[in-house]
Amino acid sequence: MGITQILFWVLTVAALFSAIMVVSSKNPVHSVLWLVATFFAISGHYILLNAQFLAIVNIIVYAGAIMVLFLFVIMLMNLNKSTEPVKHKWLQIIGILSGGCLLLVIVAALRNTEVSQHMVEMSTGEAGLIKNLGRELFTTFVVPFEISSILFLSAMVGAVVIGKKD
């Protein structure tokens, strides 16, 4: 068993544990912090698959910007037990039953699928490197890239004009 497989299993256990803690945590701030840990474990998987760009974007965008936004929203809402609405037991039972039905549907859908016995080639090739992404982006897709940048610029100017006070 190589170091890559050991890292894969460690990251998998970390991602699964932190994802379970996201759902089962009572405190919303702790739930967000566990979600950040999940994103870091997933970024580790991206690095093992030689997709460094996806790993960095995942850390910057999701673990950085989105989670800071979630924390601000949670802190601004000032969630506590006194403002929490009363939940009935029958709602919890219905939630458990619907989750079980969803699990049965997923198992039934995946029951007849063929699992490939091929191993993924890790840390080989240049499939996930930023150099290849940049080459494709600025040669093959340069016109759609520039059109989208003009669209984003006009949306930003429009948002500033709409938000400007008279």
Side-chain angles (χ1 to χ4, degrees), residues 47-144:
I47 290 172
L48 287 177
L49 291 172
N50 202 21
Q52 295 88 2
F53 178 71
L54 285 178
I56 296 301
V57 166
N58 190 29
I59 290 173
I60 291 171
V61 173
Y62 289 112
I66 302 290
M67 290 301 107
V68 168
L69 180 67
F70 280 5
L71 279 174
F72 280 142
V73 168
I74 288 170
M75 290 177 185
L76 285 174
M77 288 175 58
N78 196 13
L79 298 173
N80 53 21
K81 290 285 185 187
S82 64
T83 60
E84 186 175 321
V86 178
K87 297 176 187 168
H88 298 290
K89 281 287 188 191
W90 60 273
L91 283 175
Q92 291 177 348
I93 293 171
I94 290 173
I96 290 170
L97 285 175
S98 62
C101 290
L102 178 65
L103 179 66
L104 286 175
V105 167
I106 290 173
V107 168
L110 296 177
R111 184 179 51 170
N112 294 328
T113 59
E114 181 180 325
V115 178
S116 178
Q117 297 297 325
H118 301 289
M119 293 293 292
V120 175
E121 289 186 34
M122 293 190 274
S123 300
T124 59
E126 297 182 357
L129 297 180
I130 189 68
K131 176 178 71 173
N132 297 330
L133 178 66
R135 185 181 319 113
E136 285 298 314
L137 195 60
F138 291 115
T139 56
T140 308
F141 299 105
V142 69
V143 174

Side-chain angles (χ1 to χ4, degrees), residues 35-47:
L35 190 57
V36 169
T38 306
F39 285 143
F40 275 107
I42 290 172
S43 294
H45 280 106
Y46 286 148
I47 290 172

